[in-house]
Amino acid sequence: MNVISDIKVNTTPLCIVADGYGLSPGVNEAIRTLLSEGKVRGTGCMTLFADWRDEAALLMPVIERCGGAVGLHLTLTNFLPLSGVQPMCSFRRRLTQSFMGGVDKGKLQRELDAQLNSFIDVIGRAPDYIDGHQHVHFLPVVREWLVARRDLLISPRGNSPWLRGEPDARLATSLAQRAKISLVQRMARGFNTEMQAAGYTIKGPLTGFYERSKPNGFADALNYFRRHAPRDAVVMCHPGHCDAILKGRDRLIMAREVEFAELMRQ
């Protein structure tokens, strides 16, 4: 059901970026292929896994050839952190901590520092953009970290990473998706204004939401975003090939295969 009422029709190509480079070899291979074929414009990297350095060595020649953006995909849920041995908590618990109290800011910001340092150590420069796994970059503790680290992220030419901005529930493909996006929108409220005041460039709105448990809807969602997303919208996607590592780290595996195939057809 179309719920758009006042978004102008877009006539420019979609800015599609692939989330989660580093999650598994199959995901990484799929993203490199999409970058090489010009099907996505960049990828956000998860730098907390043991094979990050080796996988980055495969990624960067592709980035250099295609001119794509390489970003930092901040991760604060579900996986083992770089800065300690305790597993990260679930997204639900992280969200509750962030807005109801109980966040150890020092601990979380040390983890964010570790992921940023891992990126810079391997890539040799600051990321082109920053976003978050499960949208954690919208959380208050991450906003504070972004403001505090902006000077570190400025390049010698005065450039800093752009940030993926707030979503817009008016870009929902259905009423059910509108409700889901509205939750993320509330989580992100004020992010664009705060980060712009800190000197960051914001790109958005964030879109790409669809029902991943029904991956055959991805093609229709892309067509919908192509017709309705505004010029500066950033479309997230989660392509990949299934492998044993991915099975241990992600639930919606089949959606990744469908997204990869559909993006290759575009």
Side-chain angles (χ1 to χ4, degrees):
M1 176 179 178
N2 189 324
V3 297
I4 291 225
S5 59
D6 55 353
I7 293 286
K8 294 182 180 179
V9 173
N10 185 18
T11 58
T12 59
L14 291 176
C15 177
I16 304 175
V17 296
D19 287 2
Y21 187 90
L23 183 61
S24 81
V27 169
N28 301 342
E29 180 184 1
I31 291 174
R32 291 195 302 269
T33 299
L34 291 167
L35 284 164
S36 295
E37 296 296 323
K39 305 299 184 180
V40 298
R41 296 196 190 181
T43 186
C45 299
M46 303 171 81
T47 66
L48 69 170
F49 299 115
D51 59 353
W52 157 240
R53 183 176 294 274
D54 293 338
E55 292 294 339
L58 298 173
L59 172 65
M60 292 314 293
V62 177
I63 291 291
E64 290 165 7
R65 289 196 303 271
C66 73
V70 56
L72 175 59
H73 198 56
L74 295 171
T75 306
L76 291 177
T77 58
N78 301 127
F79 303 114
L80 287 172
L82 276 178
S83 57
V85 297
Q86 294 299 319
M88 296 181 189
C89 65
S90 68
F91 173 73
R92 183 185 296 274
R93 183 177 177 186
R94 182 69 73 214
L95 191 63
T96 300
Q97 289 177 341
S98 296
F99 292 99
M100 301 297 291
V103 169
D104 186 333
K105 291 184 180 181
K107 181 178 180 180
L108 290 185
Q109 292 186 353
R110 284 194 297 274
E111 176 61 25
L112 296 171
D113 282 340
Q115 292 179 23
L116 173 61
N117 290 338
S118 180
F119 183 100
I120 294 173
D121 180 55
V122 171
I123 303 301
R125 59 175 174 83
D128 295 319
Y129 69 94
I130 296 175
D131 56 26
H133 176 59
Q134 297 183 317
H135 316 298
V136 298
H137 64 302
F138 293 139
L139 296 177
V141 65
V142 184
R143 299 187 196 194
E144 291 181 18
W145 177 82
L146 286 166
V147 173
R149 296 294 178 267
R150 185 185 178 278
D151 288 347
L152 176 65
L153 292 166
I154 298 175
S155 74
R157 296 182 178 179
N159 298 321
S160 65
W162 57 266
L163 307 179
R164 194 161 72 185
E166 301 171 35
D168 186 341
R170 295 175 300 168
L171 289 168
T173 57
S174 68
L175 290 175
Q177 283 299 303
R178 185 165 193 165
K180 178 179 178 179
I181 299 168
S182 294
L183 290 174
V184 180
Q185 194 170 357
R186 285 197 289 272
M187 172 182 168
R189 185 174 294 137
F191 179 84
N192 291 3
T193 300
E194 290 176 31
M195 296 302 104
Q196 287 171 331
Y200 284 103
T201 297
I202 302 297
K203 291 192 178 182
L206 165 63
T207 189
F209 296 90
Y210 76 103
E211 193 169 351
R212 291 182 68 207
S213 62
K214 299 177 180 178
N216 289 336
F218 181 66
D220 288 341
L222 274 183
N223 290 333
Y224 188 77
F225 303 141
R226 187 169 284 110
R227 293 194 306 271
H228 297 291
R231 179 183 299 272
D232 294 328
V234 176
V235 181
M236 62 179 175
C237 63
H238 304 84
H241 300 311
C242 182
D243 59 34
I245 293 177
L246 183 61
K247 288 179 180 178
R249 293 175 175 171
D250 190 19
R251 293 183 300 107
L252 300 173
I253 293 173
M254 290 309 300
R256 292 185 178 275
E257 295 280 8
V258 172
E259 289 190 27
F260 173 78
E262 183 58 37
L263 288 166
M264 288 295 289
R265 280 194 290 267
Q266 294 290 312

